[in-house]
Amino acid sequence: MWLQACGTPLPEFQKAEKQGSNKALSGEGVIKGMRKEQAPSRARTPPARAAAPSPVPHGRERCRARSSRLRPSESSRDEPSLPRHRLHAGHPGTEESAGSRSLGCDPSAGGTRGKPAPGTRQNPPALSAAPSARSEPRAGAAPTAVPPALEPPLSSAATAPGSAAPQNETNVLLAQQGKPLRQPQQSGHCGKGRLGTERRGWHRLPSRQVGEEVAGPGPSPRLGRAGPGSPAPGNLLPSFHPRSLYQYQYSLAVQLQHTSTPSPWGARLQAEVLIRLQQLWRDSDGEELLQLQIHDLKAQHEPEEQRSQDSSGGSPVEIALSPEARAELQQPVFISWSSGKVKAFYGNEAENILISNLKRGITSLFQLQPHAGTTVEEDASGSCQVTYTVSNHSITKTKDLLSCSKPKSGFTSMNKMFGVEWQPSSRSQYVVRDSLLQSVLAEESHVVAPALRSRSGIKISSRQQLQLVSPAVPGLAEVSGQSLEDVLAGTGARPQPLGMASLPFRRVCTHCPSLRAFLKAFDRQRVRTDTSRVVTAWQFQRFIQMLRSAKKRDVLQLLRRAPEEARPFLVEAAVATQSVASLAALSEFLDFSQEPKSLLEKFLYAAAFSPRPSGELLQLILEKLDGKQLAPEIWETGVVAVGSLVGKLCQQKLCGLQVVERGVETILGGLRGAQEEPRVVISLLALGNARLPETIPTLLEHAEGSATAVTTAATSALQRFPAPHISSKVKQVMRRIFHQKRKSYDKTCRLAAAEILLDIHPLPMDVINILLATTEMETEVATFLLLKVQNSLRDHHHLARKILKDIMGDPRINNYNFFSKVGISSSFSAPLAVTQDLTSTFGLDLLFLEGGFLRKSVSNFSLLSHGQRLRAAQVTFEAQGMESMMGENLSEGEEEPELRAGMAATFFDVQLRPIVFFQGYTDLMGKVLLSSAEPTSVVRGNLLLMDHHQVIPLQSGLQVTVRLQGGLGLDISADMDVSIWEQELKTSVSARGSLAMDFQAELDSPLLQASLRSQTEVETSIHFDTKLRFSSSPVLMCLQLREEQVPYREVLSVSQSAGSRSSTARRGRRGAVPGREFALHQTSSRVCNLLLAAEKE
């Protein structure tokens, strides 16, 4: 305990005692005042024994305890002498180490400096574990050999006061720096007094400032500076000697493997080199210039075709670099190094990027700090937050790779559900002994996978190891220079400053499709247009790859030479590419005054569904819409697309772009200048696509004081805002609409307001008031609303489930009086598919009139993945004005609506232009008599659903590029058939689609290039049919949701290229999910049996 109080770390002392090291210093002088008769007593002093930790006493108690512990016992006089250990000034084991000065005896502690405390007896001290550096060896004892790598001999002499300063290690450094030399201190260790009196047997080494280095001769490492928070057990800051060459063995192991295979299957790289490190220069502030050079490269990899079926490895293949690459690899790099930190990195900026990055990875291993704490460091991974922990001779560094900032490269989809999940980890362990870096072990791993399918993931593992081969050997002489720049200029290589972060490398694709080659054989090529087939989805992705590297003239030539039926497909591919050349070609090719409406709608919808739109794409659309006389359908589709692009650009934090501000003004200007109700509705739907918080007051104004169609559109837009934007002001307006405080509203408007109050962080007061209001509503509306509440209770992911459950615990609310409505309206949801990463649900809301006619039908397909919810598809059928045809009476204060039926659709959170089936009685009769029996196409086309490009720089300097592309072919059609004569209503929604997903990770290094790829494809077809017969009472309703057989296929591949040798291995699996019909609810099943049986008869 006394050793700890006076600055000597007890664990180090015990370790030195256990090893039995005896480090003697050569010198001539004998400490003044040392009594000759004390020498036998010191020789018989027993070894110190570790004591149990106890609280450090204060003041006089501490000095008494120290004095009593130093008194030799009578039983120990015949014990062998204690090995002597040298203490260096500035070492944590000396008085001058950090944190040791305040632990001595001083007046503030209650003792008397220079005198023993009253009432205490002063005894001659026993020899401690750290005797005087100038003590003579015991008489008759053989001199102890000191390893030169650990203890350089010092020509020290005992000097009397006033004589010349001795040539000790501190004065050698001071002489080199031109500073006055220091005289030896005459005070004892841990307390003030004359040597030979109060502290006989103790000698204090010449003091120096914390952080000064010992400049003694010999190859032994100098002591580093003790940083703040240095651990007690020894100095962990490594340092390197001038004129000394340090050799380290460096090994690197990198592996990429598919996570979906039962056994590891992928690419592997192993390499070993010899690292030669030496110090060239050091300034007075401790900054060093180190030269690092790579020698004796040995690398190998294991081709997959040599692995047997049981995954046992074949013989590895040696990798040989070209002479040019080997020469670049052996070129030295220079490191500006200070206190364990790499301040700058110098090399040849013209050398190969991959070789330069490999050197950065080796240099990153010399980035460390000797004390615990959290800081930000820059290495090959970028500028990252790291956390250090220290124990004994070990330093552990944990890097937060998610916090790394590096040069921006790559892109991703705005919806994280269609992105990539990335789980990285990094941990490094350093071993430092006697201020010399002995070894480093750095391990990191990355698991990347598509967010919707983690089973198709890829794991990247990297392991670096640096091991000291042998003690330092003589090396190059120091380079003279006043500054670091002068020294670098004198090296002859004239290195340039380089950043520590790895530079991104772009691999040249030799097998990628070329648009120019495609055009040469264009007449023999076939462009597929069946969007529901997976081959079309794969072709869509190939065209995107071709167009991203094509020039404008080639893209324009492709669009002009393509046949009429293939142009929509090519326009969608050009929009998904979003390159400057493709957008310029589209701008020149599309003429909004002449081109067919279908082609222009394809272009606008393709832009609206873009996963990561650019400002240039929005600029192109605004230019096409500005100042032109357009067809109403094209203008409406364009405004809806502008809203979608504005919203996605703002999600990318690009709201400040001038083109975005212009897009917002286009929507708001169209809303202010709209004279017709359809234009107002379209503008409100566009604001719903944009979801800008500053437009909420405008939506509230139109929701509360407008006609039914406008109120419905405004409340529908508000429902799409995230929960944080639904403020108390929004809820106050929704309360007034639901409870009809200022005017009467249509039942659909009231229900939409109630959904906002119930779905987004509801207040108990609102839930209770809505439930109480159902007692005064019509039967069908009340039934629908109560079922909506019950359905929210069954949804475990619903935001309001807990609050609703608490309220339902009150028997005054949850009783027969409230929930005994007997209407035929319904609201329910059920899961369609549940996987490890995705939950797909289907919801159906049916609102009927009191006479049994369908007022509104909403079919909703939602995706829930990793805490994110996406409305994948929502199709709404709505019919109004049927009350007069059915002979029903309107509610009090309710206006008679116009006879109208239509459909609205939302796909991937993009509201499309509504479709009107008929408007007015005359139009209805014309549609009934002239119906072509052809379904109405809602959406048909190809979408780039997933588009992700990510560069992962490994700490080893190697680079992994992750790519994900997902093409979706979609064909959704809807039909509504009203038979006045048979009093039947039939609606049908058919959704056919195909998904092709290509996920790959590429490893780039100067030794090996490897690619792991996972390709997944699936085709699906879902049909939802409703049939109502209102000729009888009650109305008979049949709901059917069925899915056809779903075929799927997955192909895994591993490609490797090293030198002139390349290989590719593939594995695959395929299957099919049988078709099925979903059970919606028992009542629907019974009615369907009756209606289907009647049709067969």
Side-chain angles (χ1 to χ4, degrees):
M1 183 59 66
W2 179 85
L3 292 173
Q4 289 177 325
C6 293
T8 303
L10 187 59
E12 289 293 319
F13 163 70
Q14 292 173 343
K15 182 176 181 182
E17 178 187 0
K18 183 176 180 181
Q19 294 174 349
S21 61
N22 187 5
K23 303 179 182 179
L25 290 175
S26 63
E28 301 176 359
V30 180
I31 301 177
K32 291 185 178 183
M34 183 170 293
R35 301 175 181 175
K36 296 181 180 180
E37 60 270 19
Q38 290 179 342
S41 173
R42 288 196 300 272
R44 292 189 295 270
T45 303
R49 303 184 183 277
S54 59
V56 179
H58 300 279
R60 298 182 181 180
E61 290 80 8
R62 179 170 63 181
C63 294
R64 278 195 205 97
R66 182 183 61 194
S67 178
S68 62
R69 283 191 292 271
L70 292 176
R71 188 181 306 118
S73 61
E74 296 296 331
S75 61
S76 64
R77 296 185 181 273
D78 296 341
E79 299 273 346
S81 63
L82 184 69
R84 302 179 180 180
H85 301 270
R86 174 189 174 201
L87 290 180
H88 298 274
H91 190 276
T94 66
E95 183 181 359
E96 289 296 319
S97 64
S100 65
R101 297 187 180 183
S102 62
L103 297 178
C105 301
D106 54 25
S108 62
T112 304
R113 300 182 64 87
K115 297 182 180 181
T120 61
R121 182 169 58 91
Q122 184 175 356
N123 297 298
L127 186 64
S128 76
S132 168
R134 304 178 189 274
S135 298
E136 292 182 342
R138 180 168 51 90
T144 305
V146 181
L150 298 178
E151 287 297 330
L154 296 176
S155 300
S156 304
T159 308
S163 62
Q167 291 298 318
N168 54 35
E169 46 191 22
T170 301
N171 286 332
V172 170
L173 176 63
L174 294 177
Q176 293 177 350
Q177 299 176 0
K179 298 180 180 179
L181 305 183
R182 296 184 178 180
Q183 296 292 338
Q185 300 285 340
Q186 296 298 324
S187 59
H189 187 69
C190 195
K192 184 177 181 181
R194 295 288 181 183
L195 290 177
T197 56
E198 289 90 346
R199 298 292 182 265
R200 285 190 294 269
W202 287 88
H203 176 69
R204 179 179 179 181
L205 288 175
S207 62
R208 63 175 180 268
Q209 298 297 324
V210 176
E212 288 186 1
E213 307 288 348
V214 180
S220 65
R222 292 191 304 271
L223 294 173
R225 69 182 58 174
S230 296
N235 186 6
L236 292 179
L237 180 60
S239 182
F240 301 100
H241 266 293
R243 302 181 300 278
S244 299
L245 178 65
Y246 300 87
Q247 298 189 87
Y248 289 90
Q249 188 71 31
Y250 173 77
S251 60
L252 170 64
V254 180
Q255 177 175 339
L256 277 72
Q257 66 182 53
H258 289 284
T259 60
S260 59
T261 55
S263 60
W265 188 62
R268 299 161 186 81
L269 169 66
Q270 293 181 344
E272 288 185 358
V273 296
L274 182 65
I275 303 297
R276 293 179 179 175
L277 185 72
Q278 51 190 335
Q279 183 198 105
L280 300 181
W281 175 81
R282 177 186 176 90
D283 69 356
S284 58
D285 296 330
E287 182 177 357
E288 304 178 31
L289 180 65
L290 306 179
Q291 176 181 293
L292 186 149
Q293 197 166 12
I294 299 174
H295 294 274
D296 303 336
L297 170 67
K298 296 179 182 178
Q300 61 185 17
H301 77 107
E302 186 178 335
E304 282 299 329
E305 66 267 17
Q306 295 189 8
R307 298 178 59 86
S308 59
Q309 293 297 326
D310 59 356
S311 298
S312 61
S315 58
V317 177
E318 298 292 332
I319 302 175
L321 289 180
S322 64
E324 296 80 9
R326 186 174 292 273
E328 282 191 336
L329 186 66
Q330 293 179 355
Q331 287 182 3
V333 292
F334 301 90
I335 307 169
S336 174
W337 196 70
S338 177
S339 301
K341 299 294 184 182
V342 177
K343 298 179 61 177
F345 175 70
Y346 301 88
N348 184 5
E349 60 183 359
E351 71 181 3
N352 183 278
I353 291 179
L354 294 177
I355 291 179
S356 179
N357 286 343
L358 187 63
K359 296 177 182 179
R360 287 181 172 91
I362 298 175
T363 304
S364 298
L365 296 180
F366 294 91
Q367 187 83 278
L368 74 156
Q369 71 179 29
H371 55 270
T374 300
T375 185
V376 176
E377 288 182 352
E378 185 176 13
D379 58 12
S381 303
S383 183
C384 312
Q385 178 178 297
V386 295
T387 301
Y388 284 91
T389 57
V390 177
S391 63
N392 272 343
H393 301 289
S394 175
I395 303 173
T396 302
K397 176 169 70 174
T398 304
K399 186 189 304 181
D400 183 7
L401 292 172
L402 294 176
S403 69
C404 295
S405 60
K406 46 189 176 293
K408 186 177 180 181
S409 60
F411 46 81
T412 187
S413 303
M414 291 311 304
N415 194 318
K416 296 185 183 299
M417 191 178 296
F418 300 132
V420 170
E421 290 289 316
W422 176 35
Q423 300 175 0
S425 65
S426 174
R427 185 175 180 271
S428 303
Q429 187 169 10
Y430 297 79
V431 176
V432 180
R433 286 191 177 92
D434 299 320
S435 301
L436 181 60
L437 181 64
Q438 300 287 335
S439 64
V440 183
L441 177 62
E443 296 178 319
E444 67 176 313
S445 69
H446 305 260
V447 179
V448 290
L452 290 181
R453 186 174 170 81
S454 62
R455 185 177 177 179
S456 300
I458 296 174
K459 182 177 181 181
I460 304 119
S461 303
S462 176
R463 187 177 189 270
Q464 295 174 272
Q465 189 168 10
L466 191 70
Q467 184 69 45
L468 183 65
V469 176
S470 62
V473 298
L476 298 175
E478 286 187 284
V479 180
S480 61
Q482 296 296 324
S483 64
L484 183 64
E485 290 74 15
D486 296 339
V487 176
L488 289 171
T491 59
R494 295 192 174 274
Q496 299 87 21
L498 307 175
M500 273 298 296
S502 293
L503 299 177
F505 173 79
R506 184 172 183 179
R507 182 189 297 188
V508 178
C509 184
T510 57
H511 60 276
C512 294
S514 168
L515 180 58
R516 180 157 295 185
F518 179 85
L519 290 173
K520 290 180 180 179
F522 184 79
D523 296 335
R524 300 189 304 270
Q525 301 286 347
R526 178 189 173 193
V527 179
R528 301 177 183 273
T529 58
D530 188 357
T531 57
S532 63
R533 300 303 302 273
V534 73
V535 291
T536 307
W538 284 122
Q539 182 179 247
F540 182 66
Q541 294 190 45
R542 283 194 294 270
F543 267 98
I544 292 176
Q545 295 174 4
M546 286 192 297
L547 294 176
R548 278 185 173 166
S549 58
K551 297 182 179 180
K552 174 188 172 182
R553 65 173 182 269
D554 295 331
V555 179
L556 194 58
Q557 182 182 359
L558 175 67
L559 294 174
R560 288 173 175 170
R561 291 180 58 185
E564 194 72 25
E565 64 274 7
R567 285 183 179 177
F569 176 87
L570 298 176
V571 166
E572 291 169 340
V575 172
T577 301
Q578 285 201 72
S579 65
V580 176
S582 63
L583 293 181
L586 285 171
S587 177
E588 185 174 339
F589 174 73
L590 294 175
D591 186 353
F592 272 49
S593 60
Q594 296 181 0
E595 293 294 336
K597 296 179 182 178
S598 59
L599 184 61
L600 298 178
E601 280 193 310
K602 287 284 186 183
F603 164 71
L604 293 172
Y605 277 142
F609 287 115
S610 175
R612 49 174 195 91
S614 62
E616 291 78 10
L617 180 60
L618 177 58
Q619 179 71 29
L620 173 59
I621 294 179
L622 291 176
E623 290 175 356
K624 295 297 182 180
L625 296 178
D626 187 24
K628 296 182 177 65
Q629 294 295 328
L630 304 174
E633 297 87 349
I634 301 302
W635 183 88
E636 292 175 359
T637 306
V639 172
V640 167
V642 168
S644 176
L645 293 176
V646 166
K648 292 180 179 180
L649 287 171
C650 286
Q651 290 179 31
Q652 300 178 58
K653 299 183 173 26
L654 298 176
C655 262
L657 293 179
Q658 185 176 359
V659 67
V660 175
E661 297 175 356
R662 181 185 168 192
V664 176
E665 184 57 33
T666 298
I667 300 173
L668 294 177
L671 179 61
R672 289 190 295 264
Q675 302 294 330
E676 301 174 355
E677 185 178 277
R679 290 212 163 207
V680 177
V681 171
I682 286 295
S683 299
L684 294 174
L685 295 180
L687 291 179
N689 281 340
R691 285 173 293 213
L692 301 179
E694 57 268 25
T695 62
I696 289 180
T698 302
L699 293 173
L700 292 177
E701 179 184 352
H702 286 82
E704 193 171 12
S706 303
T708 298
V710 176
T711 299
T712 301
T715 52
S716 175
L718 288 169
Q719 283 180 292
R720 303 183 57 200
F721 277 81
H725 297 307
I726 304 301
S727 61
S728 58
K729 182 178 180 180
V730 176
K731 291 190 174 184
Q732 188 62 36
V733 174
M734 296 301 105
R735 293 187 191 104
R736 291 199 294 265
I737 293 176
F738 176 77
H739 296 289
Q740 304 185 103
K741 295 295 185 180
R742 296 183 177 177
K743 56 176 289 191
S744 296
Y745 294 93
D746 182 77
K747 52 179 70 70
T748 57
C749 300
R750 297 183 63 192
L751 290 175
E755 287 184 25
I756 293 177
L757 295 173
L758 291 174
D759 291 345
I760 304 175
H761 301 303
L763 298 175
M765 171 195 67
D766 288 330
V767 178
I768 294 174
N769 288 338
I770 289 173
L771 292 176
L772 291 175
T774 58
T775 59
E776 301 176 359
M777 289 181 172
E778 299 173 353
T779 302
E780 293 299 334
V781 178
T783 300
F784 178 85
L785 198 52
L786 292 173
L787 290 176
K788 197 80 174 174
V789 172
Q790 291 177 327
N791 189 50
S792 300
L793 285 170
R794 290 189 292 267
D795 186 356
H796 294 280
H797 303 286
H798 199 279
L799 295 176
R801 184 174 185 269
K802 187 178 183 304
I803 294 177
L804 293 174
K805 189 175 181 180
D806 293 340
I807 294 175
M808 289 297 106
D810 188 348
R812 293 173 296 180
I813 300 296
N814 189 9
N815 55 51
Y816 183 79
N817 183 41
F818 278 100
F819 294 94
S820 61
K821 306 299 181 182
V822 292
I824 61 174
S825 298
S826 66
S827 175
F828 72 94
S829 65
L832 290 179
V834 179
T835 66
Q836 180 181 351
D837 309 290
L838 178 68
T839 299
S840 175
T841 61
F842 168 74
L844 178 64
D845 293 341
L846 296 172
L847 176 63
F848 289 89
L849 300 174
E850 295 301 313
F853 199 85
L854 182 65
R855 175 67 175 85
K856 189 175 184 179
S857 167
V858 180
S859 306
N860 187 11
F861 295 87
S862 297
L863 303 177
L864 181 66
S865 176
H866 301 283
Q868 302 224 355
R869 184 184 292 271
L870 173 67
R871 187 179 299 175
Q874 178 176 297
V875 180
T876 302
F877 290 101
E878 191 168 1
Q880 65 181 21
M882 296 292 181
E883 293 87 343
S884 58
M885 293 184 59
M886 303 296 297
E888 294 185 18
N889 296 324
L890 297 174
S891 302
E892 183 178 354
E894 186 177 356
E895 299 179 359
E896 182 176 357
E898 181 186 13
L899 183 63
R900 183 176 179 273
M903 179 187 67
T906 300
F907 294 104
F908 300 108
D909 272 342
V910 177
Q911 173 77 55
L912 307 186
R913 176 179 62 86
I915 297 175
V916 177
F917 291 137
F918 60 84
Q919 189 166 1
Y921 186 78
T922 304
D923 192 17
L924 169 62
M925 298 308 297
K927 294 291 177 63
V928 171
L929 296 175
L930 302 176
S931 176
S932 62
E934 289 291 332
T936 302
S937 178
V938 181
V939 171
R940 186 184 182 190
N942 296 274
L943 314 174
L944 185 60
L945 197 62
M946 307 173 188
D947 197 13
H948 181 91
H949 180 95
Q950 178 182 3
V951 176
I952 301 177
L954 304 181
Q955 180 176 299
S956 58
L958 276 62
Q959 174 182 290
V960 175
T961 303
V962 180
R963 291 188 177 92
L964 172 65
Q965 267 196 350
L968 176 67
L970 203 59
D971 185 1
I972 299 179
S973 59
D975 190 22
M976 184 175 184
D977 183 16
V978 181
S979 176
I980 303 297
W981 320 116
E982 298 181 4
Q983 296 187 354
E984 282 186 351
L985 170 65
K986 294 180 181 179
T987 63
S988 64
V989 178
S990 296
R992 297 187 303 146
S994 60
L995 175 66
M997 186 174 66
D998 187 3
F999 178 65
Q1000 57 182 320
E1002 299 176 346
L1003 173 68
D1004 291 307
S1005 74
L1007 306 171
L1008 174 71
Q1009 287 189 326
S1011 298
L1012 270 66
R1013 195 169 190 176
S1014 173
Q1015 295 175 301
T1016 307
E1017 60 183 43
V1018 62
E1019 292 182 359
T1020 184
S1021 181
I1022 297 177
H1023 306 275
F1024 177 65
D1025 302 319
T1026 63
K1027 183 177 182 180
L1028 287 89
R1029 179 174 294 174
F1030 44 86
S1031 58
S1032 59
S1033 182
V1035 173
L1036 299 179
M1037 177 183 62
C1038 171
L1039 306 176
Q1040 289 179 296
L1041 179 64
R1042 52 193 172 87
E1043 182 182 36
E1044 297 180 5
Q1045 183 179 9
V1046 181
Y1048 66 89
R1049 187 168 71 107
E1050 183 178 14
V1051 177
L1052 306 178
S1053 63
V1054 176
S1055 301
Q1056 301 183 66
S1057 176
S1060 60
R1061 182 187 178 96
S1062 60
S1063 63
T1064 300
R1066 291 184 177 87
R1067 297 180 184 178
R1069 54 172 171 248
R1070 65 173 63 206
V1073 178
R1076 54 179 175 164
E1077 183 170 349
F1078 298 92
L1080 301 180
H1081 52 76
Q1082 294 182 354
T1083 305
S1084 176
S1085 300
R1086 290 195 297 268
V1087 174
C1088 287
N1089 291 332
L1090 292 175
L1091 294 180
L1092 294 177
E1095 282 186 357
K1096 292 180 180 178
E1097 295 177 357

